[in-house]
Amino acid sequence: MEFRIDPFPAETDLRALWRAAWGGPMPPRFADILSRSLGHVGAYDGETIVGFVNIAWDGGLHAFILDTCVHPDFRRRGVATRLVSEAEKLARQRGAHWLHVDFEPHLADFYRGCGFRPTAAGLIDLRQDRAG
């Protein structure tokens, strides 16, 4: 297993991983997203991408872990933990002071195991109309 910094995978390769990991379509033109990111990390088995994490940022001190995923055939081998660890190192090297992550409740133990601690936060679901 090789972990590559900023590999800019081909859309077709990332789309195949995304579909296997998430079960649905990837956002269109993911390359546009990556071009604005602080960085990203890919896990490769040979030349096949089997894991991925994106590091978004605010252009300053805050970085955000997004889209952590591992192909189902490679899960439970420490790939996701290593992806997050590499993302943490990369964010630190590139000047971020804070690394944030949002996750679903069933992933709390995983992210706490990666060193994230709970914080108070707020969230507005922009898909919901609050005017009514």
Side-chain angles (χ1 to χ4, degrees):
M1 187 75 50
E2 179 185 0
F3 292 81
R4 300 178 189 170
I5 304 301
D6 296 334
F8 289 94
E11 289 275 330
T12 54
D13 296 342
L14 194 52
R15 193 170 308 285
L17 170 61
W18 192 281
R19 186 167 298 284
W22 297 101
M26 183 175 79
R29 294 282 310 141
F30 209 76
D32 292 341
I33 293 169
L34 295 182
S35 70
R36 295 185 307 269
S37 294
L38 181 62
H40 60 280
V41 181
Y44 286 80
D45 181 43
E47 290 305 310
T48 304
I49 188 166
V50 298
F52 176 81
V53 65
N54 184 27
I55 311 162
W57 69 320
D58 66 353
L61 303 178
H62 295 265
F64 309 85
I65 295 275
L66 295 172
D67 306 321
T68 306
C69 63
V70 175
H71 191 285
D73 293 345
F74 290 84
R75 290 181 181 159
R76 317 264 341 134
R77 299 183 192 183
V79 176
T81 301
R82 177 79 185 275
L83 284 166
V84 171
S85 175
E86 293 296 325
E88 177 187 351
K89 285 189 258 183
L90 184 59
R92 184 178 285 113
Q93 289 169 356
R94 295 190 176 170
H97 290 194
W98 299 98
L99 186 60
H100 305 259
V101 66
D102 291 330
F103 50 82
E104 295 177 8
H106 70 279
L107 295 171
D109 289 341
F110 168 74
Y111 281 107
R112 286 198 181 95
C114 290
F116 288 91
R117 65 177 193 267
T119 63
L123 179 68
I124 294 174
D125 185 343
L126 298 174
R127 299 169 297 176
Q128 304 296 317
D129 181 11
R130 297 185 332 134

